[in-house]
Amino acid sequence: MQRTYKILFALVAICIATSFSPVLARSKRMKALIISGQNNHNWPVSHRVLRLILAQSDLFEVDTLLTPAKGGDMSKFNPEFEDYDVVVLDYNGDRWSQSTDEKFLRYVKRGGGVVVYHAADNAFAEWEEFNKIIALGGWEGRNERSGPYYYLINGIGVLDNGPGPGGSHGAQRNYPMHCRNAKHPITRGLPDNWMHAQDEMYDRMRGPANIKDLLYSGYADPKTGGSGREEPLIFTVDYGKARIFHIMLGHCGPTLADNPAMQCAGFQTLLLRGTEWAATGKVKQPVPSDFPTDKERRFRMGYMPPHK
Ligand code: ZN
């Protein structure tokens, strides 16, 4: 074999070998940081479940960082947000240190990716900039000073400045989700209506309401204690260059095995697609074969996607 051919052959062999290398595959994974450690919810379970869903998809390399316990020294909580493609917030607790607040805002403002999961939108009611990052929040003293209510009338979003507390929910139940934007990368290819498994439905949320793309809403049925309004439940947020995905679903159950809202294949699919979009601005993962239908709930009991 002539020398040129030998070199060419060696180069092709290296290319083939590295394209199947697990090391290279790992380096292509998006880097996600889950933040937890305080919450009025069952965070010891929820942050492990979020990690399982993201890591078992093979799309993400996942780190978890826990804050000190309530009342602890927050100067010790100092994440390197900039090392990550996306930060997943599973946190509702004591205010961070000023330097961590500033680092987080720098990360978000330079175009960072953020996922706001369930009660993370209860956090930091008095932090004005955080409320712009979540667009809508609830509880922790939120009221008309926090911004309007946002809900849908005949499919059109309305702002309601009427007085009243921000944040409530009726009894947990199965409920249908209604797609409001089928062209967004996160929703493309998913059914217009799908049945979510037993969960809370957040309603009467308030805030600056700077929703960019409303993706799903649900009807908060007054028969089970809801607001009687069509409520925004999954959306992206308009905040400069940042990519922010807010999912209000996913109330955490008592254990990994007894956790229907997070075991719902619809919740897991939306979490994965929203987190990929927040990390990259694109969604490349295929529509899964086990997505719920308009009548039938579907579960991934072990948080494993169907391709595994
Ligand atoms: Zn909850």
Coordinates of all heavy atoms in Angstrom, one line a residue, residues 41 118 169 200 202 251-252, ligand 1:
H41 N -41.9 21.0 49.1 CA -42.2 19.7 48.5 C -41.2 18.7 48.9 O -40.2 19.0 49.6 CB -42.3 19.8 47.0 CG -43.6 20.5 46.6 ND1 -43.9 21.8 46.8 CD2 -44.6 20.0 45.8 CE1 -45.1 22.1 46.3 NE2 -45.5 21.0 45.7
H118 N -42.2 23.0 38.7 CA -43.2 22.9 39.7 C -43.0 24.0 40.8 O -43.1 25.2 40.5 CB -43.3 21.5 40.3 CG -44.6 21.3 41.1 ND1 -45.8 21.4 40.5 CD2 -44.8 20.9 42.4 CE1 -46.8 21.1 41.4 NE2 -46.2 20.8 42.6
H169 N -54.4 25.7 44.1 CA -54.7 24.5 43.3 C -55.9 23.7 43.9 O -56.0 23.7 45.2 CB -53.5 23.6 43.0 CG -52.9 23.0 44.2 ND1 -53.4 22.0 44.9 CD2 -51.7 23.4 44.9 CE1 -52.7 21.7 45.9 NE2 -51.6 22.5 46.0
E200 N -51.4 18.0 40.9 CA -52.0 19.3 41.1 C -52.1 20.1 39.8 O -51.2 19.9 39.0 CB -51.1 20.1 42.1 CG -51.0 19.4 43.5 CD -49.9 20.1 44.3 OE1 -49.0 20.7 43.7 OE2 -49.9 19.9 45.5
Y202 N -51.8 24.0 39.1 CA -51.6 25.3 39.6 C -52.6 26.3 38.9 O -52.7 26.2 37.7 CB -50.2 25.8 39.4 CG -49.1 25.3 40.4 CD1 -49.4 24.3 41.3 CD2 -47.8 25.7 40.3 CE1 -48.5 23.8 42.2 CE2 -46.9 25.3 41.2 CZ -47.2 24.3 42.1 OH -46.2 23.9 43.0
H251 N -46.1 17.5 40.7 CA -46.1 17.4 42.1 C -45.5 16.1 42.6 O -45.9 15.0 42.1 CB -47.5 17.5 42.7 CG -47.5 17.5 44.2 ND1 -47.2 18.5 45.0 CD2 -47.8 16.4 45.0 CE1 -47.4 18.1 46.3 NE2 -47.7 16.9 46.3
C252 N -44.5 16.1 43.5 CA -43.7 14.9 43.8 C -44.5 14.1 44.8 O -44.9 14.6 45.9 CB -42.4 15.3 44.3 SG -41.3 13.9 44.6
Ligands
ZN1 ZN -47.0 20.5 44.5

